[in-house]
Amino acid sequence: MATLCRPSIAVPDHVLTMEQTLELARTLHADHPQLGLALRLIENTGVRTRHIVQPIEETLRHPGFEPRNGIYEAEAKRRVPQVVFGALDHAGLGVRDIDLIVYVSCTGFMMPSLTAWLINTLGFANDTRQLPIAQLGCAAGGAAINRAHDFCLAYPQANVLIVACEFCSLCYQPTDLGVGSLLSNGLFGDAVAAAVVRGCGGTGVRLERNGSHLVPDTEDWISYAVKGTGFHFLLDKRVPTTMKMLAPALRTLATAHEWDVSGLDFHIVHAGGPRILDDLCHYLGVEPEMYRYSRATLTERGNIASCVVFDALDRLFEDGGAEESARGVIAGFGPGITAEISLGRWAAAEPLAGRRRPAAEQRAGVV
């Protein structure tokens, strides 16, 4: 059975604190008629720090979509290799052991996808399959895990590399002054992440079942308006209430697997905001402690879009993992409104038959 191994995470060096964010809002939008509301909403996110790819002075300038997207490509190529090799090392594999690369991102655009650059630059085999996912937003981390699981079900000896690259700060739009936009300016952060799903062996979450759920008629709740200046993030005020509609989907999938979602041992979920986690506690009947990893990601790094589930999962690993065969759920939530859900058990390492050289031994010849 396929195993989701320990992720590798990296964040930029430029740090933006809650206090700096609030002061920027007061300075830039001093005459905004709903400034008080926006400030309260930003404070209520609980996001204490975020990491961004450019200094804040440069982030606040908008040179146009083309230069912004150029920054996205350059930063992706600079930052992604380190998490790729980190994830391969965690999985005990090398670049030549990977059969599929799933790349997820909603904050920039490249064609060919970054997957082509990774294959050409890092030494992956030329027949490595590519699956870029660009339009699932924050749900894409969960979707990537599910598609990797599906691939390993079809090809049981295969290994899949997942890469998530989110530079949300490059989507800042100084002319978007709605309260939802101001809130977003205080919520999102930047990060890159990678993880391997091994078809055989490995330590981590042994994936057993996955599923998706779309809430009807909510397409305009989370969306992008694509304009000459780039991606304009649109966030409906009803979004914080979505767990009332999505929590039952988690319960339904678990019930179909003959599990009780309220009795699972670990929950790794997308932390879009504190209300999401609070409502999951309520609707699923679990203690707040169950979401400590997701909440820590939100507090320390903000909403890092598709990278959240990998950052939260890495925190579980950092905490020593779970008991052997402990049952858990991984879920990403995003536009649609969509939930991408995985169920699995914690698995300790197994002997690695036919293992090739790990990434640490291979990288010297390919970078």
Side-chain angles (χ1 to χ4, degrees):
M1 298 176 70
T3 300
L4 173 60
C5 301
R6 182 172 184 171
S8 177
I9 316 293
V11 293
D13 294 332
H14 303 290
V15 178
L16 189 61
T17 67
M18 165 79 80
E19 291 72 22
Q20 290 172 310
T21 299
L22 294 171
E23 184 57 31
L24 283 168
R26 294 188 191 100
T27 302
L28 296 173
H29 308 293
D31 58 350
H32 195 290
Q34 294 181 291
L35 177 60
L37 173 60
L39 294 175
R40 289 194 300 274
L41 291 173
I42 292 171
E43 287 185 291
N44 290 340
T45 63
V47 178
R48 305 309 307 175
T49 54
R50 293 175 290 154
H51 296 254
I52 54 179
V53 293
Q54 300 180 102
I56 186 60
E57 296 79 14
E58 295 180 28
T59 301
L60 295 174
R61 289 194 290 267
H62 197 319
F65 177 67
E66 183 177 350
R68 278 254 182 104
N69 202 62
I71 295 169
Y72 169 88
E73 180 174 345
E75 293 291 342
K77 290 178 177 178
R78 185 162 76 93
R79 298 176 185 278
V80 165
Q82 71 174 103
V83 296
V84 166
F85 285 122
L88 289 170
D89 284 343
H90 288 324
L93 298 177
V95 292
R96 293 286 173 166
D97 298 308
I98 296 300
D99 301 281
L100 167 69
I101 301 175
V102 182
Y103 178 74
V104 296
S105 181
C106 64
T107 51
F109 184 80
M110 294 173 59
M111 190 169 74
S113 165
L114 190 73
T115 51
W117 181 85
L118 290 171
I119 292 169
N120 286 326
T121 306
L122 303 189
F124 293 94
N126 292 339
D127 61 355
T128 305
R129 295 169 175 87
Q130 305 171 65
L131 180 58
I133 300 176
Q135 293 159 304
L136 281 177
C138 298
I145 294 168
N146 290 349
R147 300 297 75 78
H149 182 204
D150 293 343
F151 189 82
C152 289
L153 289 175
Y155 304 96
Q157 301 299 316
N159 302 302
V160 181
L161 171 68
I162 299 169
V163 178
C165 177
E166 302 291 11
F167 302 137
C168 302
S169 64
L170 296 180
C171 295
Y172 170 70
Q173 298 289 350
T175 61
D176 291 350
L177 301 179
V179 171
S181 295
L182 298 185
L183 170 60
S184 300
N185 294 342
L187 178 62
F188 287 92
D190 298 346
V192 292
V196 171
V197 174
R198 287 187 58 123
C200 298
T203 298
V205 182
R206 189 67 50 80
L207 301 170
E208 296 189 11
R209 193 184 192 107
N210 71 68
S212 302
H213 183 79
L214 176 74
V215 179
D217 303 319
T218 57
E219 293 173 58
D220 59 349
W221 288 26
I222 303 174
S223 63
Y224 274 169
V226 183
K227 303 180 181 180
T229 47
F231 305 134
H232 292 248
F233 185 65
L234 304 177
L235 185 69
D236 190 277
K237 64 182 180 181
R238 294 169 289 183
V239 168
T241 69
T242 51
M243 288 308 103
K244 182 177 182 179
M245 296 170 280
L246 289 180
L250 275 68
R251 184 174 298 280
T252 297
L253 187 69
T255 300
H257 201 54
E258 299 184 347
W259 289 2
D260 176 7
V261 74
S262 301
L264 299 182
D265 302 296
F266 60 89
H267 287 229
I268 301 296
V269 302
H270 175 71
R275 173 77 180 273
I276 299 296
L277 302 178
D278 293 343
D279 281 1
L280 281 174
C281 290
H282 172 71
Y283 291 115
L284 296 182
V286 298
E287 294 299 318
E289 180 72 4
M290 192 65 72
Y291 298 111
R292 62 191 180 278
Y293 303 120
S294 297
R295 199 174 295 276
T297 296
L298 180 66
T299 300
E300 297 172 18
R301 293 178 172 173
N303 183 339
I304 48 176
S306 64
C307 296
V308 168
V309 291
F310 301 109
D311 191 86
L313 179 60
D314 184 59
R315 293 170 189 270
L316 171 58
F317 274 93
E318 185 67 24
D319 206 23
E323 296 293 328
E324 178 70 23
S325 297
R327 300 175 304 164
V329 60
I330 302 172
F333 311 121
I337 296 289
T338 300
E340 290 282 344
I341 313 160
S342 300
L343 301 174
R345 298 178 190 264
W346 191 263
E350 295 180 357
L352 307 179
R355 173 178 165 180
R356 300 175 189 166
R357 292 182 302 154
E361 297 174 23
Q362 295 190 27
R363 73 185 71 177
V366 298
V367 177

